[in-house]
Amino acid sequence: MKKALSIFLMLILMLGILAACGPKEEETGPSETGGKGEEAKPEKLVVWEDKDKSGWLEKVASDFEKEHGIKIEFKEVEMATKMRDQLRLDGPAGTGPDIVTLPHDQIGQVAVEGIVAELDVSEETKHRFSESSLAAQTYDGKLYGLPKSAETPVFIYNKALMKEVPKTMEELYDFAKANTSGDQYGFLALWDNFYFAHAVIGGNGGFVFNDDNGVLDPANLGLNNKGAVKGTQYIQKWYLEKLFPNGIVGESGGSAMDGLFNEGKAASVMNGPWAFGPIGEAGIDYGAAPLPKFADGTPMKTFMGVKGWHVSAFSKNQEWATKFIEYMTNDENAKYRFEQTKEVPTNTALVADPAISEDEGAKAVALQSQDAVPMPNIPEMSEVWKPMADALQTVVTGKAEPKSALDSAVKQIQQNIEANHSK
């Protein structure tokens, strides 16, 4: 009896060893055919791209379909708020897309609402992109998208009026003093607008929300600290010394500044890549470069906007949608998209690629982006814009001093956050 039992136990042990040595199922993401615990391959994926920007997808979609047998159907939807609002309606109804594109400052809100899915991608994929652009796609420590393109203000100059880009902001100030007279200006910027003013405020040590290892703390504001006050005093100096005209304050300031530059009445401006087209159409021979740094080498901390690709939380094909996003944003396809749309990708390998390095405007954006700060993407950021605009406008029009104006703005922001975002 004991001998029979021993033989039986030996057989059980051998079977266990054979099973352990057998082939293991590879964990490689979604399978081509589908299986237990895996997402079956869909017939198609639906992508929403920004208005007038979908032409590049014809080739990339065709290549993906040849490789994986999945058709990519795409349509154009105006990105700003319409993309988000339409996803809110079409997603729950089952008529929405698998993939959408959004500006990164909306990520916090859509993540809180649960209408975009957290992405699970490899470290190798993440390393394609600049750290700041990937941080822009992250909310509460979780990744919700992969970067598509970035934009940030740069230094744009009229080559007929400025022969060499100043190396520092102090040199630019001296140039402006020497070249501002009558209706001619050496340099113009919309520093009563917080989007542009952050470059100076952030460059001097101010910040919006404290960043704790990628998590923004809306209870810790740095908009009236010593650095923010110093930056605002620097802004005030340009207006007090009449280096900026009165007309570039407020809502009409942007169009007034554009008009002066496009008419050849300003040697240089701080503006974004969206201005390149109209400047070229105006016949201005212009150049672009990163903004001059401060004398101590500190860069202008411009705000950066990052457009990204996101998987709808309502998609039934989230693994394959993620796979296509990874495919769209690889270096080859990111370069192709840039060539078709002129929107600058954040793939670090492309900064030195001739397609970008030989394009003066794109190179300026790529280089300035390395020192830029992603606009905070948490919902509380919506409470910052108006109080800061009001504060800056009272300063540049001589109605308030920087410290008191910033203290008032921070108090208003804190009250708004408490009223509208308390849990």
Side-chain angles (χ1 to χ4, degrees):
M1 179 70 178
K2 289 182 179 179
K3 184 177 180 180
L5 182 60
S6 296
I7 292 171
F8 176 73
L9 291 173
M10 286 178 66
L11 286 170
I12 294 296
L13 181 61
M14 289 176 67
L15 287 170
I17 292 172
L18 288 170
C21 293
K24 295 182 180 180
E25 183 178 347
E26 293 184 3
E27 296 180 1
T28 58
S31 86
E32 294 289 325
T33 58
K36 187 175 181 181
E38 298 175 332
E39 182 180 280
K41 183 167 66 174
E43 291 184 5
K44 70 175 182 178
L45 294 170
V46 178
V47 180
W48 284 359
E49 168 64 299
D50 195 12
K51 188 174 174 56
D52 301 323
K53 294 288 192 303
S54 69
W56 71 284
L57 270 171
E58 292 183 12
K59 176 185 180 302
V60 175
S62 176
D63 291 346
F64 187 82
E65 183 177 0
K66 289 175 184 175
E67 185 174 338
H68 296 286
I70 299 173
K71 182 177 176 57
I72 304 298
E73 180 181 298
F74 51 90
K75 64 178 287 190
E76 293 185 349
V77 178
E78 189 175 326
M79 192 171 69
T81 56
K82 290 186 178 180
M83 183 86 69
R84 179 183 59 190
D85 293 345
Q86 196 163 337
L87 179 61
R88 285 169 173 158
L89 296 172
D90 293 357
T95 57
D98 297 287
I99 297 168
V100 296
T101 182
L102 296 169
H104 87 269
D105 57 341
Q106 294 182 6
I107 291 176
Q109 187 61 47
V110 295
V112 168
E113 292 179 24
I115 62 176
V116 294
E118 181 183 355
L119 290 192
D120 181 13
V121 299
S122 68
E123 289 301 311
E124 182 181 0
T125 295
K126 293 177 185 178
H127 287 158
R128 289 177 191 160
F129 311 101
S130 66
E131 289 184 14
S132 57
S133 69
L134 206 63
Q137 301 297 306
T138 303
Y139 173 71
D140 200 23
K142 298 177 181 178
L143 183 67
Y144 284 94
L146 291 183
K148 177 176 75 169
S149 63
E151 61 185 22
T152 194
V154 296
F155 187 75
I156 305 174
Y157 62 102
N158 185 327
K159 292 182 177 180
L161 303 176
M162 178 180 280
K163 302 304 181 184
E164 186 177 356
V165 176
K167 292 182 175 61
T168 66
M169 290 301 296
E170 286 70 20
E171 288 182 17
L172 178 59
Y173 170 78
D174 291 340
F175 177 89
K177 289 278 286 185
N179 291 274
T180 297
S181 178
D183 63 352
Q184 292 291 136
Y185 298 89
F187 172 69
L188 298 176
L190 302 174
W191 284 343
D192 69 312
N193 180 324
F194 183 53
Y195 174 77
F196 294 98
H198 182 274
V200 182
I201 292 172
N204 281 279
F207 59 88
V208 183
F209 304 117
N210 186 58
D211 187 337
D212 183 9
N213 293 319
V215 178
L216 299 176
D217 181 2
N220 189 342
L221 291 161
L223 290 172
N224 62 340
N225 67 11
K226 185 177 179 180
V229 173
K230 181 181 177 183
T232 306
Q233 289 170 338
Y234 180 83
I235 289 171
Q236 182 186 42
K237 178 176 73 170
W238 286 75
Y239 289 86
L240 286 176
E241 298 187 16
K242 306 297 183 183
L243 297 177
F244 294 165
N246 295 333
I248 65 164
V249 174
E251 292 183 5
S252 61
S255 58
M257 184 184 76
D258 293 344
L260 288 169
F261 188 79
N262 293 353
E263 291 167 14
K265 295 180 179 179
S268 61
V269 293
M270 174 187 180
N271 213 337
W274 51 83
F276 294 156
I279 291 172
E281 291 170 6
I284 301 293
D285 181 17
Y286 71 95
L291 285 156
K293 296 183 178 182
F294 291 103
D296 64 359
T298 302
M300 292 274 276
K301 291 286 186 179
T302 52
F303 265 149
M304 176 172 65
V306 181
K307 298 174 183 178
W309 293 110
H310 311 274
V311 175
S312 166
F314 306 102
S315 170
K316 296 179 180 178
N317 310 301
Q318 292 186 13
E319 290 180 54
W320 277 104
T322 300
K323 191 177 184 72
F324 186 57
I325 287 177
E326 291 179 289
Y327 185 80
M328 282 194 290
T329 57
N330 67 34
D331 292 344
E332 179 183 352
N333 288 328
K335 176 182 174 179
Y336 178 69
R337 186 181 188 279
F338 165 72
E339 291 170 339
Q340 301 300 309
T341 67
K342 295 305 177 184
E343 291 191 342
V344 182
T346 69
N347 302 51
T348 55
L350 296 180
V351 174
D353 189 285
I356 288 177
S357 65
E358 295 177 7
D359 183 311
E360 198 170 345
K363 183 179 180 181
V365 172
L367 291 174
Q368 182 65 42
S369 293
Q370 295 179 10
D371 293 319
V373 177
M375 284 185 292
N377 63 9
I378 61 177
E380 290 84 352
M381 184 61 188
S382 62
E383 310 301 344
V384 172
W385 297 109
K386 187 176 188 305
M388 282 302 294
D390 291 345
L392 290 166
Q393 286 179 19
T394 61
V395 169
V396 303
T397 55
K399 297 175 182 177
E401 288 301 308
K403 183 67 167 70
S404 62
L406 293 177
D407 284 344
S408 177
V410 167
K411 182 178 180 181
Q412 185 63 56
I413 292 166
Q414 290 171 330
Q415 290 175 346
N416 292 347
I417 290 175
E418 177 65 27
N420 299 324
H421 302 275
S422 296
K423 296 181 179 179

